[in-house]
Amino acid sequence: METQETGTSSHKAADLETLGRVVGQVRTNVERVIEGKPDVVSSALVVLLAEGHLLIEDVPGVGKTMLSKALARSIDCSVRRIQFTPDLLPSDVTGVSVFNQNTREFEFRPGGIFANIVVGDEINRASPKTQSALLECMEERQVTVDNTTYQLDSPFMVIATQNPIEMEGTYALPEAQRDRFMARVSVGYPVEAAEMAMLTTHTKSNPLDDLEPVTDATELRKLIGIVAQVYVADAVQKYAVALTAATRRSSDLTLGASPRATLHLVRAAKARAAIAGRDYVLPDDLRTLSQPVLAHRLLPSVEAAMSGRSTTDILNAIVAAVAVPGGAPTS
């Protein structure tokens, strides 16, 4: 007779198998558009399953918007795109109450943020006032307009792009905004073979036009629930806290990682573990995700910046110096 523990284990295994199958289908779909960038696609899928938000930061023309659109089109759910421009208003994002002459009452007209996946293109081209309209949406998954609060549907994910090179006419994201993004990734230039393949496929037609959804919002909610059940041992939790606490003590940083960053790091690690077919988190999950989850939240000290040390270099040194559970520092 099957014990309760055996039944639970087999149920978890079946859930993880389902998750792996769906994630594989979405990955295959996205990689039809973004070739030769498996790590970037994996990071996007981790953020999606961890209920986070993704910031794609890179130079023009490397496929930032293509990546976000491919991920959005792979899921049969509501998708909206907001083109951030200097004249974009906060009400364009959140929505506005409009007086209806027929009913003699105010009616709420939802803004672009009311969707399961919101693609924010060139987010740093909008004014700080408009950028701040995203703060409540991203953290609390709700919108408050005229003292009325509207809940956003689940799943909810903001995928924002920005160009760090061309700074004319842009407004840098404040730290409070950057901290709400679970991860930041850079697409980077493709290798020659991938660029050659792109010339073959992308010059005939737009590969986005041929993408069909491979999952939907209902199934995605189930997968998010599976990720939430992934086990995190006390030692691994302490390791996550030790990593973020070390950034706050570093003399090379004027701003360390926030408690929200610790939470995001663990949630992302749970998603990475589930995608790998595990129902438990390893310290290696945290180490691997430390760069995309933590680096964009840190500010280097003046001395570190003048010596040419980036936040990536500083974070690598910090992670190497923190003892792994059951072992010594890796440096």
Side-chain angles (χ1 to χ4, degrees), residues 273-287:
I275 291 174
R278 286 182 278 109
D279 62 353
Y280 56 90
V281 173
L282 294 173
D284 187 58
D285 294 319
L286 300 173
R287 289 175 57 84

Side-chain angles (χ1 to χ4, degrees), residues 4 49 64 100 118 121 144 158 183 202 240 247 268 283 317 324:
Q4 183 176 357
L49 293 178
K64 299 188 297 295
N100 188 319
V118 179
D121 201 20
T144 302
V158 174
H202 289 228
T247 66
V324 180

Side-chain angles (χ1 to χ4, degrees), residues 50-66:
E51 288 193 289
H53 307 292
L54 183 66
L55 179 62
I56 309 174
E57 186 177 274
D58 215 324
V59 297
V62 294
K64 299 188 297 295
T65 306
M66 289 283 278

Side-chain angles (χ1 to χ4, degrees), residues 55 57 84 86 122-132 134-135 160-179 181 184 296 299:
L55 179 62
E57 186 177 274
F84 282 81
E122 297 283 354
I123 188 173
N124 57 335
R125 291 202 173 278
S127 67
K129 182 178 180 180
T130 301
Q131 289 177 12
S132 66
L134 289 168
L135 296 178
T161 70
Q162 73 170 357
N163 170 16
I165 303 299
E166 183 187 358
M167 301 310 293
E168 184 177 348
T170 63
Y171 305 88
L173 291 180
E175 280 63 45
Q177 181 77 61
R178 297 175 75 88
D179 196 51
F181 286 100
R184 178 191 64 181
H296 65 287
L299 288 180

Side-chain angles (χ1 to χ4, degrees), residues 242-258 290-291 294-305 307 309-319:
L243 286 174
T244 52
T247 66
R248 301 165 198 161
R249 295 191 300 266
S250 174
S251 59
D252 291 325
L253 297 171
T254 57
L255 179 66
S258 66
S290 60
Q291 279 294 338
L294 300 181
H296 65 287
R297 310 168 192 263
L298 310 177
L299 288 180
S301 65
V302 175
E303 293 78 7
S307 63
R309 300 183 65 200
S310 66
T311 52
T312 300
D313 299 329
I314 297 169
L315 184 57
N316 282 336
I318 291 172
V319 172

Side-chain angles (χ1 to χ4, degrees), residues 156-235:
F156 172 66
M157 181 183 186
V158 174
I159 308 175
T161 70
Q162 73 170 357
N163 170 16
I165 303 299
E166 183 187 358
M167 301 310 293
E168 184 177 348
T170 63
Y171 305 88
L173 291 180
E175 280 63 45
Q177 181 77 61
R178 297 175 75 88
D179 196 51
R180 278 165 168 77
F181 286 100
M182 175 172 284
R184 178 191 64 181
V185 298
S186 296
V187 179
Y189 293 115
V191 296
E192 288 188 10
E195 198 162 1
M196 287 291 292
M198 182 191 72
L199 292 177
T200 302
T201 57
H202 289 228
T203 53
K204 295 177 182 178
S205 61
N206 187 345
L208 280 173
D209 296 338
D210 299 326
L211 286 191
E212 295 290 337
V214 294
T215 186
D216 56 26
T218 301
E219 188 168 39
L220 195 56
R221 281 192 289 270
K222 293 179 182 177
L223 300 186
I224 290 171
I226 294 171
V227 168
Q229 299 304 313
V230 172
Y231 175 69
V232 187
D234 289 344

